[in-house]
Amino acid sequence: MEQSEVVKRVVGILTEAGEMRRLLEENPDREDADTDSTVVTALLNETMPRIAIPEDATVEDVVVVVGREVGGAVEQLVGAFTLAFAMLAQVHDSGQTDVTSADVLQDLALRAEQFGAEGPDDTEI
């Protein structure tokens, strides 16, 4: 999965979490708040590679294969969440009261196409 798609999916997860928080703030006792993690699970399933481990692999072999195969996907996910956090923190720390977290996430989603497969070059808002 390209980094731009991972960023968009992370924005979706964070947007959904913000909506859930808003709904729970409006009514803390509501029972219909969607709290399952199917969106996160789907993202993990789509970004994590399928790994074939030979039957005769040693523990050390498994560690090397898993590290090599999973490392890139984990870097993509961590990078996307870190970027979103940094952009949200930048707006918060600047004291901008006319920009909401939803605005920041929407801007990030729109800019994701610029990131390509390698990642963002410019995260200034």
Side-chain angles (χ1 to χ4, degrees):
M1 183 180 290
E2 288 194 24
Q3 187 65 26
S4 60
E5 182 62 26
V6 174
V7 169
K8 288 180 198 175
R9 298 288 296 276
V10 164
V11 166
I13 289 168
L14 294 174
T15 301
E16 186 176 300
E19 179 64 12
M20 187 179 355
R21 178 196 50 80
R22 186 188 66 74
L23 291 172
L24 288 172
E25 283 178 353
E26 287 177 359
N27 182 3
D29 298 326
R30 68 183 294 139
E31 295 178 19
D32 64 335
D34 183 12
T35 58
D36 72 354
S37 59
T38 56
V39 176
V40 174
T41 301
L43 177 60
L44 289 173
N45 287 336
E46 291 174 17
T47 56
M48 293 298 148
R50 303 282 181 240
I51 302 171
I53 306 290
E55 286 184 31
D56 62 341
T58 66
V59 172
E60 291 82 12
D61 294 337
V62 172
V63 169
V64 169
V65 170
V66 170
R68 182 182 63 233
E69 297 296 323
V70 175
V74 170
E75 286 180 23
Q76 276 189 312
L77 289 169
V78 170
F81 276 104
T82 301
L83 175 62
F85 173 81
M87 290 181 73
L88 289 163
Q90 179 183 14
V91 170
H92 175 271
D93 292 349
S94 71
Q96 295 181 37
T97 58
D98 60 333
V99 179
T100 67
S101 59
D103 294 336
V104 174
L105 292 172
Q106 182 179 26
D107 181 60
L108 178 56
L110 293 172
R111 295 160 139 229
E113 288 303 317
Q114 300 169 1
F115 302 159
E118 295 302 316
D121 293 329
D122 180 15
T123 58
E124 188 174 318
I125 303 179

